Amino acid sequence: MNVGVLNVGASAAARTAAAGLAQRLCLPLLAVDDGSCDLLLAVTDRRVELRETASSGRGALYVDWVHRRAASRPAAGGSRGQPLARAIGLRRGKPTVVDATAGLGGDTLLLAGWGCTVTAVERCGVVHALLRDGIMRARAEGPPALGRAVERVSLLHADARVLLTQLDEATRPDLVYLDPMYPPRRKATALAKKHMRILRTLVGDDPDAGELLDIARRVARHRVVVKRLCLAPPLADNPVARHCGKIARYDVYLPHEKSGLASSPPAQ
């Protein structure tokens, strides 16, 4: 999958941002869409967005926390009675969370809006760039509640399998959250299908999700939460709890040290 960086902004800031992005991600910097790339990371005067070259930029994919419906709520998060909030044990406090598959950050925003301190980890450089741009705009343009939520988010470009094993005892999170890539639901909107298709084209599936879950269970202090489609099989056997919504299900796993399973300690 060929990806290039294209500046479509008129300002010097956009040109500088495009050049920096291309250098950081080791991607070609294009003056025009010459058809050499399947996807374009387009830098406009307003934002960074991912475009399919065949669609001439229609339906571009970008992160916008400022205008999300959740951003207008008092804590910049959703209802605390929803399945994800129950799965993370929100009523017991405000845990530290590693969102190990951050993607476009939808659940990262919810977790931070509920008061959690979130380390968002994304291994795909292009997706990380989109999320980074969205977070920066949220800090600059968002309402106060959103600004407070964003300050609780740290974004890292890394493979969570490696990052988690490098944590020492003092930096282990209370909870690790996983949302592996899975097929879009049959009744998804055309927009959701398009965005899911673009992401799948870019990052593929997550065949190492089971390995990541095992590592997460060695590192998390209290629990690991895995998001799945309601009818999908669990990522591992015997979750201790399941919290179901209309579309997604959240499976809860205990750390190995609490479940009695033998496991080697995380590497230091």
Side-chain angles (χ1 to χ4, degrees):
M1 176 58 56
N2 295 322
V3 182
V5 176
L6 177 67
N7 172 46
V8 293
S11 66
R15 291 193 296 272
T16 301
L21 198 56
Q23 182 178 24
R24 187 165 67 249
L25 298 180
C26 298
L27 296 175
L29 178 61
L30 305 178
V32 295
D33 179 5
D34 58 9
S36 63
C37 296
D38 304 298
L39 295 171
L40 292 174
L41 200 54
V43 180
T44 75
D45 289 325
R46 179 73 180 85
R47 62 188 178 222
V48 176
E49 57 189 43
L50 188 63
R51 300 178 176 180
E52 290 182 293
T53 54
S55 67
S56 300
R58 291 190 296 272
L61 181 62
Y62 57 91
V63 174
D64 185 0
W65 282 5
V66 175
H67 297 100
R68 277 179 60 97
R69 181 173 59 181
S72 64
R73 295 178 180 173
S79 167
R80 293 173 179 241
Q82 65 177 270
L84 176 56
R86 298 199 303 272
I88 67 173
L90 193 62
R91 293 181 179 178
R92 299 181 181 181
K94 299 175 181 178
T96 57
V97 180
V98 170
D99 182 352
T101 52
L104 297 177
D107 290 333
T108 300
L109 175 58
L110 286 175
L111 293 166
W114 287 325
C116 302
T117 301
V118 185
T119 301
V121 184
E122 176 51 49
R123 65 179 170 182
C124 175
V126 173
V127 177
H128 173 271
L130 294 173
L131 183 53
R132 178 176 179 269
D133 175 70
I135 290 175
M136 291 174 63
R137 285 187 285 105
R139 286 176 175 158
E141 305 169 10
L146 177 60
R148 291 191 293 271
V150 172
E151 289 305 314
R152 291 189 283 270
V153 177
S154 300
L155 176 62
L156 299 177
H157 179 202
D159 186 329
R161 294 173 302 168
V162 176
L163 182 139
L164 287 173
T165 59
Q166 293 176 340
L167 299 179
D168 58 25
E169 181 63 28
T171 55
R172 288 171 57 194
D174 297 322
L175 181 146
V176 178
Y177 177 66
L178 308 180
D179 180 12
M181 179 70 75
Y182 51 73
R185 58 193 176 98
R186 292 180 180 179
K187 295 184 179 180
T189 65
L191 183 61
K193 286 181 179 178
K194 179 181 179 64
H195 285 179
M196 182 62 74
R197 175 170 52 79
I198 294 175
L199 285 178
R200 186 171 296 280
T201 299
L202 180 64
V203 305
D205 295 318
D206 284 326
D208 53 9
E211 177 188 358
L212 179 56
L213 173 57
D214 180 67
I215 294 171
R217 294 183 70 184
R218 286 190 260 134
V219 174
R221 294 182 184 277
H222 300 310
R223 66 180 69 185
V224 178
V225 176
V226 181
K227 184 177 182 179
R228 304 287 283 167
L229 288 176
C230 285
L231 298 180
L235 195 56
D237 294 334
N238 303 319
V240 296
R242 293 180 176 178
H243 300 272
C244 296
K246 294 180 180 179
I247 301 168
R249 183 186 78 240
Y250 300 90
D251 295 339
V252 180
Y253 296 89
L254 291 177
H256 286 319
E257 63 188 33
K258 294 187 176 182
S259 66
L261 296 177
S263 175
S264 58
Q268 300 297 318

